[in-house]
Amino acid sequence: MRVLVTGGGGQLGRESVPALRAAGHEPIPLRHAELDISVPGTAERALAEHRPAAVLNCAAWTAVDAAEDQPDAAMRANAVGPGLLAAACAAAGVRLCHVSTDFVFDGSATAPMDESTPPRPLGVYGASKLAGEEEVRRRCPDHQVARTAWLFGRQGPNFVLTMLRLARERGALRVVADQRGSPTWTGSLAPALVRLLERGTAGTYHLVNSGEASWYDLAVATLEEAGLAGVRVEPITTAAFPTRARRPAYSVLDCRAWRELGEPPLPPWREALRSYLEPSSGR
């Protein structure tokens, strides 16, 4: 299967290329400079040129805080662009797998959220991603919306790489401990996305590594796995580390729809982190 990968220069897009090849498919990665899906007509031209059987949309505005100050740009990238791409895919008879986020939820849950949980984003970034989901569902019948969370991959930027850098620069860290989510390695997510494309079952899916953690938990585990356990990590509250955009306090995802396909759960996040930090991972 020939698969066009939008956002091919990002950490998930880059991870998806070898995952597709390993599964016997032909990836066509396109960076933002090669395909800006928010520009009318570009998606149609890319589909006509490359003639893929499916599209994996990894293109997105991911700067959560900056979205508060640039809402039009965030909406253009995360809602308008996916809508145009979905329409082009529908017209060409091409399957579309669109990657979304846990930020579509408001963080008020107290147990892992499955795909039936009503979304209620807290800020511009989450609202833009939810709008993108809705555009994809409305415009492309052969669609898959895959929500994921707390990504870390080889290229970065991401939280794990930031913790490693700061640990070496500062020797002590202060990390938020009252936000919980689903840390997810792109090396686990990309093969699952490929499998989802192969299954071809339309709908919304949560795809994250198993288990849950706080940012503090993830920081401590990162330093332990990297052999930097001597670096002191102090747990702090969200209030002690204010950000421009509000973050959901609890955004742990339950991959119920994935399990109902009969697919195995993604590995535990700590196991995935260990694999990510192994020298052979290419980090």
Side-chain angles (χ1 to χ4, degrees):
M1 178 168 57
R2 180 177 290 184
V3 181
L4 192 151
V5 180
T6 65
Q11 62 178 347
L12 179 56
R14 290 188 183 191
E15 194 81 59
S16 299
V17 171
L20 283 161
R21 287 188 180 131
H25 304 297
E26 179 187 353
I28 307 166
L30 296 180
R31 296 170 177 262
H32 178 77
E34 300 169 300
L35 172 58
D36 181 350
I37 61 172
S38 69
V39 176
T42 57
E44 286 86 349
R45 288 192 290 273
L47 295 180
E49 177 182 354
H50 297 289
R51 298 188 179 280
V55 172
L56 175 58
N57 183 32
C58 300
W61 174 294
T62 58
V64 176
D65 291 315
E68 297 296 316
D69 299 313
Q70 303 177 63
D72 291 344
M75 283 290 181
R76 185 166 58 251
N78 290 344
V80 174
L84 293 172
L85 178 62
C89 286
V94 171
R95 178 172 304 142
L96 172 59
C97 182
H98 171 71
V99 180
S100 191
T101 174
D102 59 322
F103 271 65
V104 300
F105 299 111
D106 67 2
S108 63
T110 56
M113 297 171 289
D114 67 19
E115 295 81 359
S116 67
T117 304
R120 186 186 172 193
L122 293 175
V124 172
Y125 170 69
S128 69
K129 291 297 289 183
L130 179 58
E133 289 186 11
E134 292 167 346
E135 286 292 291
V136 167
R137 294 187 190 101
R138 181 173 67 88
R139 296 192 177 202
C140 185
D142 190 2
H143 73 265
Q144 298 164 323
V145 173
R147 293 178 182 143
T148 192
W150 293 29
L151 286 186
F152 53 92
R154 290 184 176 90
Q155 304 301 324
N158 61 61
F159 178 84
V160 172
L161 294 181
T162 298
M163 291 300 101
L164 292 174
R165 175 178 59 81
L166 293 178
R168 290 166 179 140
E169 291 175 357
R170 301 179 182 178
L173 304 174
R174 302 172 72 242
V175 182
V176 170
D178 58 356
Q179 295 174 22
R180 300 192 68 79
S182 304
T184 303
W185 177 34
T186 56
S188 298
L189 175 61
L193 291 170
V194 173
R195 181 61 179 149
L196 191 61
L197 278 169
E198 292 173 339
R199 292 294 300 257
T201 310
T204 299
Y205 298 86
H206 291 173
L207 288 175
V208 292
N209 279 120
S210 303
E212 64 180 77
S214 68
W215 291 115
Y216 170 80
D217 296 332
L218 181 54
V220 170
T222 295
L223 300 188
E224 289 177 352
E225 296 293 347
L228 298 170
V231 176
R232 184 171 60 87
V233 185
E234 176 188 353
I236 63 172
T237 65
T238 298
F241 188 73
T243 55
R244 182 73 177 86
R246 292 174 62 197
R247 266 71 171 171
Y250 187 93
S251 60
V252 180
L253 300 182
D254 176 10
C255 305
R256 178 182 58 81
W258 177 250
R259 293 194 305 272
E260 290 177 349
L261 288 179
E263 296 290 340
L266 275 62
W269 69 265
R270 181 79 184 237
E271 179 183 318
L273 176 67
R274 186 175 303 120
S275 297
Y276 170 61
L277 293 174
E278 289 176 354
S280 60
S281 74
R283 181 185 55 79

